[in-house]
């Protein structure tokens, strides 16, 4: 087998804090081992248009602590078409790239899998705040997003207590309630609504009223975006409980900011592992954080059945918020 000499790295899908640390690790580790490393700009869109540039040591200077991605990112419809996929593969083969490291979420992994079928050596790195990739305990960006939510909610609590109100806080997570669950437990939310578990607004209302009658003057309810329409939940809850509430949607603020130490470390160790693995000639793999270790696993695991939901954590959040 021909040894790997030229590699490329791209970020795709939603940006996540720690992606820059991962890019830096891929570039520096690659150069350290004598490889030529190319950055693909603007995700798969840029790949299809051939936006590749060779990265030098200085190209990734002063980025390890920055949020976002210096390579830019995009959601790419063309990667769902056969023509787009063929063009993306052609760009890499034409430039003699031996392997592509894709940093992104499950949609980005799908693109990588398609390229692999077209003869491209690929490695996936989990980069998304949602923590919704099967096969890894953590994704790059998740820890920072949870901390952002905790920080924002502790500010909201000041207003909630001053006005003696209920606040509904929408956090990101279309199909996965991990941000809501972890942040909700960390801040002691009264209720956590997530897509994985159905909820009953009557029960939530009874809990609010029980707290209210024993002197509690405010409540925080964390709602994952995939749990339902927050405005409908708000008006229904108001109707059932008779208690006034306010809605705050944290939105894209959760994707920004400097990475937490955990995410910067994940970026560094996962990026470095990707280069080690591709130098060993192993492809169609994903880098995963499992049992406190950074390991490689077959990429197809990411498309398998969803990892079991952390029911224990959910039950604990409920027990502590009686
Ligand atoms: O996948 C990350 C994520 O932030 C989701 O939590 C959210 O639903 C989605 O991206 C928003 O995507 P966009 O920024 O493209 O609107």
């Amino acid at each position: 087998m021909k040894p790997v000499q030229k590699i490329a790295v791209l970020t795709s899908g939603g940006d996540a804090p720690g992606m820059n640390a991962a890019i830096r690790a891929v570039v520096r580790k690659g150069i350290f081992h004598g490889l030529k490393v190319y950055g693909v700009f603007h995700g798969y869109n840029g790949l299809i248009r051939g936006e590749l540039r060779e990265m030098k040591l200085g190209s990734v200077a002063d980025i390890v602590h920055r949020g976002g991605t210096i390579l830019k990112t995009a959601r790419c419809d063309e990667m769902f078409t056969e023509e787009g996929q063929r063009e993306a593969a052609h760009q890499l083969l034409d430039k003699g790239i031996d392997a592509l490291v894709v940093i992104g979420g499950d949609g980005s992994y799908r693109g990588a899998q398609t390229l692999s079928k077209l003869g491209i050596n690929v490695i996936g790195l989990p980069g998304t705040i949602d923590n919704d990739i099967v096969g890894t305990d953590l994704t790059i960006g998740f820890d920072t997003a949870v901390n952002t939510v905790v920080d924002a909610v502790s500010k909201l609590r000041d207003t909630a207590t001053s006005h003696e109100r209920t606040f509904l806080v929408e956090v990101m997570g279309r199909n996965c309630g991990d941000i809501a669950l972890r942040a909700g437990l960390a801040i002691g939310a009264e209720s956590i609504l997530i897509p994985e578990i159905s909820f009953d607004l009557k029960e939530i209302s009874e809990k609010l009223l029980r707290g209210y009658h024993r002197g509690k003057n405010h409540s925080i309810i964390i709602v994952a975006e995939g749990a339902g329409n927050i405005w409908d939940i708000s008006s229904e809850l108001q109707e059932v409980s008779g208690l006034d509430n306010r809605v705050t949607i944290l939105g894209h603020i959760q994707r920004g900011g400097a990475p937490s130490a955990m995410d910067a470390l994940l970026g560094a160790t996962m990026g470095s592992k990707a280069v080690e693995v591709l130098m060993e000639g192993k492809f169609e793999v994903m880098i995963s954080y499992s049992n406190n270790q950074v390991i490689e696993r077959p990429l197809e695991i990411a498309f398998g059945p969803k990892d079991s939901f952390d029911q224990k954590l959910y039950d604990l959040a409920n027990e502590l918020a009686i």
Side-chain angles (χ1 to χ4, degrees):
M1 195 185 58
K2 175 177 165 265
V4 170
Q5 287 167 336
K6 276 188 190 178
I7 66 171
V9 54
L10 69 75
T11 47
S12 160
D15 64 325
M19 277 184 165
N20 277 331
I23 296 165
R24 173 179 177 268
V26 171
V27 171
R28 295 238 165 131
K29 180 93 171 187
I31 293 175
F32 180 83
H33 286 286
L35 308 181
K36 268 190 189 282
V37 187
Y38 290 79
V40 181
F41 287 77
H42 304 112
Y44 287 117
N45 277 336
L47 178 58
I48 291 167
R49 294 195 296 263
E51 293 180 35
L52 279 78
R53 248 182 272 155
E54 190 179 346
M55 306 291 276
K56 300 287 182 189
L57 291 175
S59 314
V60 290
D62 205 23
I63 64 165
V64 71
H65 57 299
R66 295 190 198 282
T69 157
I70 59 156
L71 294 178
K72 314 296 179 197
T73 185
R75 304 209 186 264
C76 177
D77 292 339
E78 262 178 288
M79 243 345 243
F80 293 106
T81 68
E82 267 184 36
E83 207 188 332
Q85 293 159 1
R86 269 201 309 273
E87 187 52 35
H90 166 75
Q91 289 289 348
L92 293 165
L93 294 170
D94 190 49
K95 291 178 176 63
I97 305 286
D98 302 309
L100 175 68
V101 179
V102 173
I103 308 171
D106 51 358
S108 315
Y109 278 20
R110 294 244 171 241
Q113 196 191 36
T114 314
L115 288 176
S116 172
K117 307 256 172 295
L118 295 171
I120 306 295
N121 295 320
V122 295
I123 300 214
L125 239 69
T128 164
I129 64 163
D130 289 356
N131 206 36
D132 61 348
I133 297 187
V134 178
T136 182
D137 296 344
L138 286 175
T139 57
I140 298 167
F142 171 63
D143 182 64
T144 310
V146 169
N147 279 292
T148 299
V149 174
V150 168
D151 185 48
V153 173
S154 66
K155 287 177 178 145
L156 275 176
R157 233 185 229 294
D158 291 345
T159 301
T161 50
S162 304
H163 284 265
E164 305 180 275
R165 268 180 195 155
T166 297
F167 265 85
L168 297 170
V169 184
E170 185 188 280
V171 302
M172 279 188 165
R174 281 175 294 204
N175 312 306
C176 176
D178 274 21
I179 295 179
L181 180 54
R182 306 288 165 119
L185 180 55
I187 54 103
E190 274 63 30
S191 295
I192 301 170
L193 312 189
I194 51 179
E196 293 89 341
I197 305 260
S198 59
F199 55 89
D200 177 354
L201 285 180
K202 251 202 190 141
E203 270 174 30
I204 293 172
S205 159
E206 279 160 18
K207 194 204 253 186
L208 283 183
L209 290 168
R210 270 200 312 274
Y212 183 73
H213 290 309
R214 64 167 203 263
K216 213 170 183 176
N217 62 12
H218 75 281
S219 298
I220 303 283
I221 301 177
I222 304 285
V223 183
E225 60 177 335
N229 182 299
I230 189 127
W231 298 105
D232 294 346
I233 295 173
S234 159
S235 50
E236 212 176 307
L237 190 63
Q238 183 140 353
E239 206 170 290
V240 188
S241 67
L243 296 173
D244 196 17
N245 69 55
R246 291 289 185 276
V247 167
T248 298
I249 298 176
L250 295 182
H252 288 80
I253 202 169
Q254 296 160 90
R255 293 234 295 260
S260 64
M262 182 69 204
D263 281 330
L265 282 169
L266 274 182
T269 51
M270 287 183 157
S272 156
K273 182 74 176 176
V275 175
E276 282 170 16
V277 164
L278 63 84
M279 284 176 42
E280 287 165 16
K282 297 184 195 152
F283 302 107
E284 232 186 319
V285 297
M286 63 178 279
I287 305 301
S288 140
Y289 184 76
S290 186
N291 296 321
N292 290 323
Q293 295 212 37
V294 174
I295 56 168
E296 81 265 15
R297 308 182 82 177
L299 186 64
E300 68 194 23
I301 287 185
F303 310 116
K306 200 176 177 322
D307 291 346
S308 57
F309 169 71
D310 199 340
Q311 185 72 41
K312 269 195 183 158
L313 216 55
Y314 181 77
D315 293 343
L316 175 63
N318 278 329
E319 284 166 18
L320 300 186
I322 36 172

